[in-house]
Amino acid sequence: MTLDQIIGQNTLVSQLKMNIALGKPGHACVFSGPSGMGKRTLALAFARALLCMGCKPGAACLSCRTFIEGTNPDFYEVITDKPSIGVDLIRAMQDDVANRPAYGNRKVYFIDNAQQMTTQAQNCLLKTLEEPPEYAIILMSASSFDSLLSTIRSRTIHFRMNPYSDTEMLQILKPLYTLDDNEWDFILKFSRGIPGNAIHIIEEGSVRELRQLVFRLLEKPEDIHNAEELRKALSENKAEVTTVLDILLSFYRDCMMTLEGMENRLINSDKKDMIIKLAKRFSKRKLLDKMNILEGMRRSFEYNVNHQLGVDVLVMEIQEV
Ligand SMILES: [Zn+2]
């Protein structure tokens, strides 16, 4: 992918292009943002542009051709299948930094998920950042900029990736998946502008199943079987607790909209009839209380040591009308 083909992140992409045009791309850059934002895609597009030796219309240059094939000798990506990036990998990269570029006047290094570097690895990398050879440019992606040592941060240019607008999300996702408009509504609302979240919801049937489970329990809170099924699903799938909290919040918000006479603006528009029916059970005050309780639960799940207890409380909260 080229920088021109990147969807969204307009300010950031213009800045990157400008830095290349001015011949001042910096010696180290960090792209930060939550997982699923496309940090690697953007970093690779930037790397390719940095190494480009001048493509002609319809004819990619030698550097770009080999970059696409994955054989460009002036591009080096630190790759590991381990959960952390150890000092050995950084040393191996530094050995390569010592060699001059093969094609043009730049070499680009990329460390994906740089927050996984051990402290020792980061300190080792620092040596290169302090005195980089003229030709070397080091790109990193990180879930958050603050996860890197301050000594690393002070020597890098930071580019924060922002959530995508609904229009951009659809531009990214629609060529990949064919879904009903109702489903797109739901997916956009739940993926919070992060394409990776949307892909997760689309590809993992479990999220949609969980949503059905939650709505079944909301409809029949006294049904012990439904409650047990949801409890079991959440016990087995810890990562989806946040999804269920989001689904519930969207439900109570939709009930509130219904009570305010704005039932045309529901997040769960495919469940409109059910929501209109269920909203009558609650007062506005009660709905606000529910939403506050759920936000509190979200925080306690982030820190909670006892997942099972949290799940039990959450299911009881759904059952309580
Ligand atoms: Zn090129």
Side-chain angles (χ1 to χ4, degrees):
M1 198 176 274
T2 64
L3 282 177
D4 286 326
Q5 290 166 329
I6 298 277
I7 294 165
Q9 310 296 333
N10 300 334
T11 320
L12 209 164
V13 170
S14 318
Q15 182 72 55
L16 295 175
K17 284 185 187 167
M18 171 106 86
N19 292 359
I20 294 177
L22 294 172
K24 290 188 172 141
H27 278 294
C29 307
V30 174
F31 296 92
S32 77
S35 130
M37 283 295 276
K39 298 186 292 290
R40 184 170 186 274
T41 306
L42 181 60
L44 292 185
F46 185 44
R48 179 177 158 183
L50 285 167
L51 294 170
C52 177
M53 296 153 74
C55 288
K56 302 221 165 55
C61 71
L62 171 66
S63 173
C64 286
R65 270 204 320 272
T66 50
F67 191 89
I68 296 163
E69 287 166 2
T71 57
N72 189 314
D74 295 333
F75 178 71
Y76 185 113
E77 181 171 1
V78 173
I79 292 172
T80 177
D81 51 8
K82 299 206 183 84
S84 68
I85 300 171
V87 68
D88 52 325
L89 291 171
I90 301 302
R91 285 209 184 102
M93 184 190 99
Q94 284 168 327
D95 286 344
D96 191 87
V97 173
N99 304 320
R100 294 195 57 82
Y103 292 160
N105 50 9
R106 282 182 184 140
K107 285 180 89 172
V108 178
Y109 294 83
F110 177 51
I111 307 171
D112 202 11
N113 291 311
Q115 77 279 352
Q116 290 172 352
M117 278 190 287
T118 61
T119 306
Q120 203 190 0
Q122 293 194 51
N123 281 322
C124 181
L125 174 67
L126 200 54
K127 285 176 218 148
T128 307
L129 298 184
E130 280 166 346
E131 286 177 44
E134 196 45 44
Y135 52 81
I137 297 175
I138 302 186
L139 307 182
M140 288 173 259
S141 80
S143 51
S144 103
F145 191 54
D146 291 338
S147 59
L148 302 171
L149 292 181
S150 62
T151 41
I152 299 254
R153 295 203 304 268
S154 66
R155 285 172 178 82
T156 52
I157 309 176
H158 178 206
F159 297 103
R160 188 196 308 277
M161 293 187 74
N162 290 311
Y164 296 81
S165 70
D166 283 358
T167 316
E168 290 163 354
M169 288 285 280
L170 290 176
Q171 272 180 283
I172 295 169
L173 296 163
K174 275 200 164 170
L176 307 174
Y177 305 99
T178 309
L179 301 172
D180 292 345
D181 282 349
N182 262 347
E183 275 196 288
W184 281 122
D185 275 355
F186 155 71
I187 287 159
L188 290 181
K189 296 283 172 10
F190 283 91
S191 42
R192 280 171 268 138
I194 303 175
N197 285 356
I199 292 169
H200 172 75
I201 295 172
I202 296 168
E203 294 192 349
E204 289 283 316
S206 65
V207 176
R208 282 190 263 189
E209 276 166 35
L210 270 176
R211 183 168 176 258
Q212 297 306 336
L213 261 178
V214 169
F215 271 94
R216 275 217 301 275
L217 189 57
L218 284 165
E219 202 175 15
K220 290 187 180 153
E222 68 287 352
D223 189 321
I224 311 166
H225 176 71
N226 278 347
E228 191 46 45
E229 212 177 324
L230 181 62
R231 207 175 280 128
K232 188 161 165 278
L234 286 179
S235 307
E236 287 167 3
N237 203 343
K238 289 188 180 188
E240 301 298 6
V241 167
T242 323
T243 314
V244 167
L245 287 169
D246 284 341
I247 293 168
L248 283 168
L249 276 166
S250 76
F251 167 74
Y252 293 123
R253 175 216 171 261
D254 281 353
C255 287
M256 187 68 101
M257 294 301 258
T258 306
L259 295 184
E260 300 271 4
M262 290 188 276
E263 55 268 24
N264 291 324
R265 293 173 51 191
L266 302 186
I267 293 176
N268 301 285
S269 52
D270 58 326
K271 308 258 185 216
K272 188 173 168 181
D273 292 346
M274 186 200 290
I275 287 166
I276 291 175
K277 197 179 81 188
L278 297 180
K280 294 189 185 114
R281 291 178 187 167
F282 305 101
S283 65
K284 289 183 196 174
R285 181 59 209 261
K286 180 82 183 173
L287 289 170
L288 282 177
D289 284 349
K290 287 266 190 194
M291 287 191 261
N292 281 329
I293 290 171
L294 289 176
E295 285 300 348
M297 281 190 189
R298 187 196 300 280
R299 283 189 294 277
S300 56
F301 268 109
E302 275 167 28
Y303 301 106
N304 212 347
V305 276
N306 193 337
H307 180 81
Q308 192 53 50
L309 182 64
V311 167
D312 289 344
V313 174
L314 174 59
V315 172
M316 272 192 283
E317 184 57 35
I318 302 175
Q319 290 180 287
E320 195 253 349
V321 182

